[in-house]
Amino acid sequence: MSFVVTIDGPSAAGKSTTARAIAEQLGWRYLDTGAYYRALALKGMRLGMPAYDEAATRLARETRIEFSGDPSRAHVLLDGVDVTDAIRAPDVSEGASRIAAFPGVRRLLVEWQRILREREPLVGEGRDLGTVVFPDAEVKLYLDADPETRAKRRHAELTGRGLAVTLDAVRADMRARDERDRSRSDSPLKPATDATVLDTSGLDLARQVAAALALVRAHPSFPKGGDVPGRARA
Ligand code: DC
């Protein structure tokens, strides 16, 4: 099994930016597990959102989710169609959080995510990577930040993409989604007992990434010659 770095935490805690930066520095695969749930939710929203586990699992079984292109801005393909931008809409965030609560869906998507580790080292981000998907990961990080900082970050990100959303709406959506992700019975969001917890509220990104990279490189199993910057893959 290849070396794995897991980065878990609530929305807008800085997981994606950190995971991408580490993957890029090391030339390792970047695994965005939220993109799987988002793509499946998008399909569900288009076809009629499944209301129970069996229907949601059937939908997942009939779905193909793939990644292609530049890892730092990987394209997400849903049944062969590029949905990279569509899956970032706020209503898809909500749908992803809902469909992710179905145990059958999780079992299947976790299986797809684990396959990737058989081939090469990777840096993955999500909610349950350190606890469920890769419990034996070499390095586990849990990023968090205070809710107001996270709401402002997400608001800036969405308005920066041209979406007309208020900070109040972002704050409310985020609170509801985090609450659902934390309280579901299957694989709830929580730090693994052996995760390093980082509060990113006042941290600048460069330091955050440097701290994470230092942890990775210090690990006894870190592959010699493992740094191949600029060769990150999605
Ligand atoms: O990381 P994200 O915002 O793209 O994730 C969208 C939703 O998908 C999130 O609210 C919960 C779900 N998710 C999950 O349950 N497990 C993961 N490993 C990743 C995401």
Side-chain angles (χ1 to χ4, degrees), residues 11 15 32-35 37-38 88 93 96-97 100 106 113 125-129 154 177 181 184:
S11 42
K15 303 186 299 292
D32 174 6
T33 61
Y37 295 96
R38 285 174 179 273
R88 299 295 155 193
S93 305
S97 171
R106 299 204 71 84
Q113 293 158 17
E125 56 133 325
R127 303 291 185 287
D128 60 341
L129 298 199
R154 182 49 47 88
R177 181 149 76 99
D181 293 346
R184 67 180 175 225

Side-chain angles (χ1 to χ4, degrees), residues 82-142:
D82 195 325
V83 292
T84 311
D85 293 330
I87 62 167
R88 299 295 155 193
D91 57 338
V92 180
S93 305
E94 162 82 10
S97 171
R98 287 185 185 282
I99 210 156
F102 292 122
V105 167
R106 299 204 71 84
R107 247 191 323 275
L108 199 60
L109 270 51
V110 165
E111 228 172 79
W112 298 347
Q113 293 158 17
R114 283 188 180 140
I115 289 171
L116 297 176
R117 185 193 185 177
E118 291 167 11
R119 298 193 218 133
E120 57 195 324
L122 61 87
V123 184
E125 56 133 325
R127 303 291 185 287
D128 60 341
L129 298 199
T131 50
V132 175
V133 187
F134 303 120
D136 59 340
E138 281 77 6
V139 175
K140 297 183 186 180
L141 296 173
Y142 186 91

